[in-house]
Amino acid sequence: EKFGVWPDRVVDVQALAGDSVDNEPGAPGIGIKTAAQLITEYGDLETLLARAEEIRQPKRRQTLIDFAEQIRISKRLVQLDCDTPLDVTLESLEVQAPDPGHLLGFLTEMEFRTLTARVADKLGAEAPAVVSAPPSEAPAAPDLPAIDHAGYETVTDRAALDGWIAEIREAGEVAIDTETTGLDEMQADLAGICLAVAPGRACYIPVGHVAGGDDLFGQVKLVEGQLPLDQVLAALKPVLEDEAILKIGQNVKYDWKILARHGIRMVPLADTMLMSYALNAGTHNHGMDELAERYLGHKCIPIKDLIGSGKSQINFAQVVIDKAAPYAAEDAEVTLRLYRHFVPMLPVERVTTAYETTERPLIPVLAGMEMAGIRIDADVLKRMSNAFAQKMAGLEDEIHALAGEKFNVGSPKQLGDILFGKMGLAGGKTGKTGAYSTSADVLEDLAAEGHDLPARILDWRQVAKLKSTYTDALPTFVNPDTGRVHTSYSIAGAQTGRLASTDPNLQNIPVRTDEGRRIREAFIAADGHRLVSLDYSQIELRILAHVADIPALKQAFHDGIDIHAMTASQMFGVPVEGMDPMIRRRAKAINFGVIYGISGFGLSRNLRIPRAEAQAFIDTYFQRFPEIRAYMDRTVADAKSDGWVRTLFGRRINTPGINMSGPAAGGAKRAAINAPIQGAAADIIRRAMIRMPEAIRDLPAKMLLQVHDELVFEVRKDAVDDLIAAARRVMEAAPEPAVKLSVPLVVDAGQGANWAEAH
């Protein structure tokens, strides 16, 4: 069932496919499925290698000929050695009843608090007094002394630094935080480093604090008494890169990038922000100040107390060291305390797997992507900005003609007066200021009723946003040192697991409009390289077909049928051949809308059709696919009962508003319905991203961007095909082995000199 061959031929399949985890090379380019086909056709490995010349596919034939000896070595590596002498008997391996005293003593000593309670309960023994609450209850916060700033140390000499390094090695873990001159990890300078090894035991190492302003030559002057930055980093590098010492951070990706710019690659990592996110996605924010108050009962020193705000704000390097040290060391100690509080909660809430497989391993992957950045063509953006300005001017003329007078199109108040005052359109609502609302929802409703003016306003706003957000703004984000744009990804942004891109946001560029495609033309490959885009095809619909167990949709995906045309045919009784594009468009809108629990009101807005007609479409859809309605009802019921939903991969998404009544109830239900689907799609691409660096390690390629279901790479021209093959393998197999989807994942690939060509 798993390998496609009988048990006695599994080693032959493994020999061909190899296994990078166990360092078994196998045959390059041949995976499990192809290996199984070959072994089934030729009987066994030796027969296959002997008859390799008969293989019709040239590349596969040559691989088997050239790597025959490597394949034979792989078989010896995967095959069990049955001649190994054994010093045990079968009887000695029989399961024995545990000794409660010995076992519970060991578990207590190893601080397995949750496991200790569970085992004690199972054995009917009394758990040691230090064991925390049973798994059905969240463990209480550790009983620790209050945070005391007076106990912190400011490290200003080498002997003290060496003492802290020795303590870190003894503890086997350290909470670390960096203080910098800004929030841009690619340009900020280090002001200092904070460390904590135990509650009440934390320090600050200042390395970049400056005195006053610049001197006559524009040079800053360092405050005396600080250890040299290069000396501190050289001393810390061995422990920060020691795989036996855990580095704990709050949003540790930031610190990882700061230190990576100085040649330090921290491993292994733990992140309290991501632990909180795994436990509480959708419940509250995950910033350190909020977590400290919520879980430790401690209010952190506000950063504004040190650097001020507004025009008088300074950067952290300008803060007096005596004031900076307590704030900085507190960050490290709070992080350590949060870590010790969250660790036992992860298994209790059954989110350890999600944290360990889709959150924590993503930190260095995203950091590498962000540091790689992407090249843009500022001249292309400038030309687009001018074109957008001309288009806006043309739309303004059209809008003024429709309104019968000139007004400021960008003024919501003036627009509201025109629409609901002068023109007398229905649906006008005033706010506290007395002005009419002209939000996108209001304008979309009016446009759906057939009014041209609000439709043109929406067009104008879209172009204006593209101009201000992208064509005008993107050139300002170019890093002067790298010449590239470096976005930043938030792992703990959306509660469903979707990554959020900021500074600049590269995930919201419209992909289905001509303007959006033109903006993508400005994202270009380096000289001698190409941009490659790999995009999951209809991944959320495929997940829906799997989780709702919809035979018709699953079969369509297996057969490679146009899913939207098939849906239209099923709903409206029209043949797929020669289908009216408008009918297919309506089916597509319903297919994707139903994932988000769309209502007749929402669909009418999307398709700009009467609400009754839209509701009739949805009713027909559920009649044809009753499994979807059953899935929705089941998911909402579970969310109401549990207060959360889970994805296929164990991600927990809290639904705190699910039992509310009133207007907010519908939104909460739609969010609960969509969360397991969108969350599973997010998990799948995260799993692919985590495996990607190893898969493309030997290729002249870098992963640059993630845009929802799409990954963008930069690769040398002569390696494009190899990159596509390797990346596609990883992406299509990403759910496994945790989940075996009942529908195939399909990844579309494209490549070009710019992002528009590649997508």
Side-chain angles (χ1 to χ4, degrees):
E1 288 179 356
K2 181 175 180 180
F3 291 93
V5 293
W6 293 106
D8 60 340
R9 295 274 71 89
V10 166
V11 289
D12 290 353
V13 171
Q14 290 179 317
L16 285 170
D19 187 343
S20 60
V21 174
D22 289 338
N23 201 26
E24 295 150 3
I30 293 181
I32 294 290
K33 185 179 293 185
T34 301
Q37 292 172 349
L38 290 170
I39 295 302
T40 299
E41 183 176 353
Y42 289 90
D44 60 69
L45 184 64
E46 285 304 324
T47 302
L48 170 65
L49 295 177
R51 297 170 57 188
E53 295 283 359
E54 301 174 17
I55 302 293
R56 290 190 299 275
Q57 297 89 344
K59 186 175 181 180
R60 191 178 297 173
R61 177 176 64 243
Q62 202 58 44
T63 295
L64 292 172
I65 294 171
D66 293 346
F67 292 92
E69 187 54 33
Q70 178 173 296
I71 294 167
R72 291 188 175 97
I73 291 173
S74 295
K75 181 171 181 178
R76 290 204 298 274
L77 289 172
V78 301
Q79 202 159 19
L80 294 177
D81 182 358
C82 296
D83 297 325
T84 301
L86 301 176
D87 57 0
V88 295
T89 64
L90 274 178
E91 289 74 22
S92 68
L93 300 177
E94 187 177 57
V95 176
Q96 305 290 324
D99 176 351
H102 184 75
L103 176 57
L104 290 173
F106 170 80
L107 294 176
T108 302
E109 182 183 356
M110 294 297 106
E111 299 183 4
F112 290 125
R113 296 180 179 87
T114 301
L115 187 59
T116 305
R118 191 179 303 165
V119 170
D121 181 64
K122 183 73 174 178
L123 297 180
E126 185 175 349
V130 295
V131 176
S132 61
S136 58
E137 303 173 15
D143 185 14
L144 297 171
I147 291 175
D148 182 6
H149 300 146
Y152 296 152
E153 180 181 340
T154 302
V155 177
T156 56
D157 63 72
R158 184 56 193 266
L161 178 60
D162 289 342
W164 275 94
I165 291 172
E167 285 192 50
I168 292 170
R169 291 196 177 280
E170 177 67 23
E173 63 183 26
V174 59
I176 183 167
D177 185 42
T178 56
E179 301 297 345
T180 59
T181 56
L183 299 178
D184 183 350
E185 309 98 307
M186 293 300 296
Q187 298 189 65
D189 294 323
L190 264 171
I193 299 172
C194 358
L195 307 170
V197 293
R201 187 66 182 142
C203 73
Y204 180 57
I205 311 167
V207 293
H209 284 261
V210 296
D214 301 346
D215 63 18
L216 292 175
F217 302 99
Q219 300 294 315
V220 295
K221 182 179 179 182
L222 289 175
V223 174
E224 294 183 359
Q226 301 176 90
L227 284 168
L229 173 61
D230 57 352
Q231 185 182 127
V232 170
L233 293 176
L236 288 174
K237 182 179 172 73
V239 292
L240 295 182
E241 294 185 342
D242 190 334
E243 294 189 4
I245 299 173
L246 181 66
K247 270 64 69 175
I248 306 161
Q250 165 74 17
N251 188 21
V252 76
K253 176 164 67 70
Y254 180 93
D255 310 288
W256 194 97
K257 288 169 67 177
I258 291 290
L259 293 171
R261 285 175 50 217
H262 292 280
I264 296 175
R265 303 275 171 152
M266 286 198 298
V267 289
L269 303 172
D271 194 319
T272 51
M273 179 184 74
L274 298 185
M275 288 180 172
S276 173
Y277 178 60
L279 288 160
N280 304 300
T283 302
H284 58 69
N285 293 327
H286 312 287
M288 188 181 70
D289 288 356
E290 178 167 346
L291 296 181
E293 285 197 58
R294 183 179 291 271
Y295 294 103
L296 305 179
H298 174 76
K299 187 172 179 60
C300 295
I301 300 172
I303 184 64
K304 286 185 179 180
D305 289 359
L306 278 71
I307 65 173
S309 60
K311 293 181 179 179
S312 62
Q313 183 174 314
I314 60 177
N315 71 57
F316 200 83
Q318 297 169 300
V319 177
V320 176
I321 292 177
D322 287 347
K323 291 185 177 180
Y327 168 88
E330 179 189 68
D331 280 357
E333 181 180 2
V334 166
T335 298
L336 183 70
R337 290 184 181 227
L338 286 172
Y339 169 76
R340 295 189 176 181
H341 179 65
F342 287 144
V343 164
M345 294 177 69
L346 295 174
V348 170
E349 301 298 336
R350 294 172 53 213
V351 295
T352 305
T353 298
Y355 169 73
E356 290 290 353
T357 60
T358 60
E359 316 289 11
R360 189 175 63 83
L362 199 58
I363 298 168
V365 176
L366 285 178
M369 292 168 61
E370 294 168 5
M371 294 184 74
I374 190 168
R375 191 176 174 187
I376 65 169
D377 188 328
D379 291 335
V380 170
L381 289 171
K382 186 175 182 179
R383 290 194 295 271
M384 287 183 194
S385 189
N386 292 335
F388 286 161
Q390 293 175 12
K391 184 166 184 176
M392 289 169 64
L395 285 168
E396 286 178 18
D397 289 341
E398 191 177 346
I399 288 166
H400 292 156
L402 289 168
E405 65 177 88
K406 288 190 175 183
F407 68 98
N408 181 358
V409 179
S411 167
K413 184 179 187 307
Q414 292 183 34
L415 174 62
D417 291 339
I418 293 287
L419 292 174
F420 304 111
K422 178 182 177 181
M423 299 179 67
L425 299 184
K429 295 180 180 179
T430 56
K432 293 180 180 179
T433 63
Y436 288 104
S437 171
T438 59
S439 65
D441 288 349
V442 171
L443 297 182
E444 285 170 356
D445 289 343
L446 293 173
E449 294 170 7
H451 299 293
D452 290 336
L453 179 55
R456 297 291 78 75
I457 292 288
L458 288 170
D459 294 339
W460 183 90
R461 285 184 179 178
Q462 182 184 49
V463 177
K465 182 177 181 180
L466 291 175
K467 184 177 185 298
S468 62
T469 306
Y470 296 109
T471 59
D472 291 349
L474 276 175
T476 66
F477 284 100
V478 175
N479 185 299
D481 297 325
T482 66
R484 295 163 80 93
V485 169
H486 302 266
T487 188
S488 181
Y489 288 100
S490 172
I491 307 178
Q495 66 188 70
T496 58
R498 274 199 166 190
L499 300 178
S501 164
T502 57
D503 301 320
N505 181 352
L506 300 182
Q507 294 186 323
N508 285 350
I509 305 173
V511 68
R512 295 179 180 86
T513 65
D514 291 338
E515 291 84 1
R517 284 189 286 273
R518 290 176 62 196
I519 290 173
R520 279 176 162 76
E521 292 175 8
F523 292 81
I524 58 176
D527 296 340
H529 290 68
R530 305 283 278 180
L531 291 185
V532 171
S533 166
L534 289 104
D535 195 356
Y536 282 111
S537 173
Q538 301 170 338
I539 186 170
E540 292 187 3
L541 277 176
R542 294 171 188 270
I543 293 170
L544 174 64
H546 173 84
V547 298
D549 193 18
I550 310 167
L553 292 185
K554 291 200 290 187
Q555 190 60 49
F557 281 125
H558 276 288
D559 295 342
I561 294 173
D562 180 339
I563 198 71
H564 304 309
M566 187 276 291
T567 300
S569 178
Q570 296 268 1
M571 286 181 58
F572 306 123
V574 296
V576 173
E577 295 78 13
M579 179 178 292
D580 183 343
M582 182 58 69
I583 294 178
R584 183 185 181 278
R585 177 173 172 263
R586 288 177 173 178
K588 181 177 180 179
I590 301 172
N591 270 335
F592 285 116
V594 76
I595 297 174
Y596 299 94
I598 199 167
S599 63
F601 176 74
L603 185 62
S604 70
R605 179 184 294 162
N606 289 354
L607 294 178
R608 298 190 178 183
I609 60 175
R611 193 181 306 179
E613 185 179 351
Q615 187 60 52
F617 286 161
I618 293 177
D619 293 342
T620 302
Y621 191 89
F622 286 135
Q623 289 170 9
R624 183 60 194 87
F625 303 112
E627 301 91 349
I628 296 178
R629 172 58 71 192
Y631 160 76
M632 290 180 168
D633 293 343
R634 183 171 66 249
T635 302
V636 170
D638 289 345
K640 286 185 173 183
S641 171
D642 301 330
W644 43 261
V645 294
R646 286 191 190 274
T647 71
L648 293 168
F649 302 89
R651 176 183 301 280
R652 173 170 158 169
I653 303 167
N654 294 290
T655 55
I658 193 66
N659 288 309
M660 291 191 303
S661 58
K669 288 181 181 178
R670 288 192 292 274
I673 290 167
N674 171 248
I677 299 170
Q678 189 180 101
D683 289 340
I684 287 172
I685 200 163
R686 282 178 177 231
R687 291 168 67 88
M689 293 170 70
I690 290 165
R691 298 172 185 179
M692 198 64 71
E694 176 62 27
I696 66 172
R697 181 184 58 185
D698 297 329
L699 296 175
K702 291 181 179 179
M703 186 164 54
L704 305 185
L705 300 177
Q706 188 262 26
V707 182
H708 304 315
D709 303 329
E710 175 189 9
L711 295 178
V712 179
F713 300 80
E714 188 174 60
V715 57
R716 204 171 62 205
K717 288 181 178 179
D718 61 347
V720 167
D721 291 342
D722 292 336
L723 181 277
I724 290 175
R728 179 177 271 144
R729 274 197 305 273
V730 171
M731 292 175 72
E732 291 183 346
E736 300 175 5
V739 173
K740 178 67 175 177
L741 292 178
S742 55
V743 293
L745 290 181
V746 174
V747 174
D748 298 325
Q751 54 102 1
N754 60 61
W755 191 5
E757 290 180 7
H759 187 79

